[in-house]
Amino acid sequence: AVMRTGLQARERDERAELFREVHLWLFNRYDAQAGSAESTSDIGEAHDRALLAAAEHLAASDATRLPSWLLQQRWKKYYDAGRWRALSIAFDKASCAAETSPASDPADAVWFDHHRAHVCQSMGRYEEALELYSRAQTNHEAAFGDRHPEYATILHALGDVLRVTGREAEAQALYADALKFY
C-alpha cells in the first residue's frame, strides 16, 4: 500500500494526464460492473465493491464529477436495493471529493445532502440524518428560497427524522408546511 501510494503520487505529479486517463479507464470498468445488475434484487457484494472502486477511481480522475455521478447514476438503484452501507461509503468518498472540488450546481449540493441523509436515516443514524437534512434545507433556502415546490420534499424528510427521534411537535409543523406544496 505504501509503495502504491508513492507510485501514484509520483505519477500524479510527473504524468498527470496519464494518471487521470488510467483512473478514468478504471472508473469506467468498475462503473460498468456496478451498473450491471438487471434489477435491485440482483445487487450484491460484488456490485458494492465495484461501486466503491468506481467512486475511488472517479475521485482520482475527475473529483468534480463524483457527486453528480453518484446521485444520477447509482443512488436510486442502490438505495432501493437496501445497499446502504456501500452507499454511505460512496457518499463519504464523494463528500471528501466535494470539499476539494465543490459542486458548481447548487441543486447538486442540496440533493447530495438530502440523499445522503436518506441513507443515514435508513441505517438508523438519525442525528447525522437530521444534520444533513437541515443543511439541505438551509442550502435550498439560500439557493432557491423557501417557496420552491421541491422544498416540500426536504421538509417532509426532515419531519420524518424529527418524528422518529421524539420531536413530534416540530415534525407536525414541518409536515404542515410541506402540505402547502403537496
Side-chain angles (χ1 to χ4, degrees):
V2 171
M3 181 180 251
R4 181 181 63 225
T5 302
L7 289 171
Q8 284 197 3
R10 190 173 79 194
E11 284 296 312
R12 184 176 31 251
D13 293 342
E14 295 176 8
R15 298 177 359 176
E17 187 59 31
L18 177 63
F19 177 85
R20 192 188 73 68
E21 286 177 18
V22 167
H23 281 284
L24 191 56
W25 182 86
L26 289 167
F27 160 73
N28 287 325
R29 179 177 181 266
Y30 285 112
D31 183 39
Q33 290 175 5
S36 67
E38 294 284 325
S39 70
T40 56
S41 62
D42 295 334
I43 296 176
E45 288 183 32
H47 295 95
D48 290 352
R49 286 190 301 275
L51 173 76
L52 297 177
E56 190 73 37
H57 290 293
L58 187 55
S61 65
D62 188 359
T64 59
R65 287 182 43 208
L66 183 52
S68 60
W69 164 78
L70 185 57
L71 290 177
Q72 296 168 10
Q73 302 298 316
R74 297 291 168 244
W75 143 259
K76 178 87 171 107
K77 196 171 190 178
Y78 276 74
Y79 183 81
D80 290 347
R83 307 309 292 190
W84 303 318
R85 184 173 180 279
L87 272 175
S88 178
I89 296 168
F91 271 111
D92 288 346
K93 289 179 187 303
S95 181
C96 289
E99 287 175 13
T100 58
S101 303
S104 58
D105 183 358
D108 277 352
V110 168
W111 296 115
F112 181 85
D113 285 341
H114 182 265
H115 292 328
R116 189 176 184 193
H118 268 302
V119 172
C120 293
Q121 182 180 358
S122 298
M123 296 175 76
R125 295 172 12 203
Y126 299 119
E127 290 305 315
E128 193 175 345
L130 189 60
E131 180 182 324
L132 288 164
Y133 282 134
S134 295
R135 189 166 66 198
Q137 178 187 18
T138 300
N139 289 339
H140 193 284
E141 289 169 359
F144 308 107
D146 64 354
R147 296 295 164 223
H148 193 273
E150 292 175 336
Y151 188 66
T153 303
I154 297 169
L155 296 179
H156 190 156
L158 186 53
D160 287 346
V161 175
L162 289 170
R163 184 182 48 77
V164 168
T165 57
R167 296 160 66 179
E168 188 67 35
E170 292 174 78
Q172 290 303 323
L174 289 173
Y175 290 149
D177 285 345
L179 277 174
K180 293 174 189 172
F181 294 104
Y182 291 145

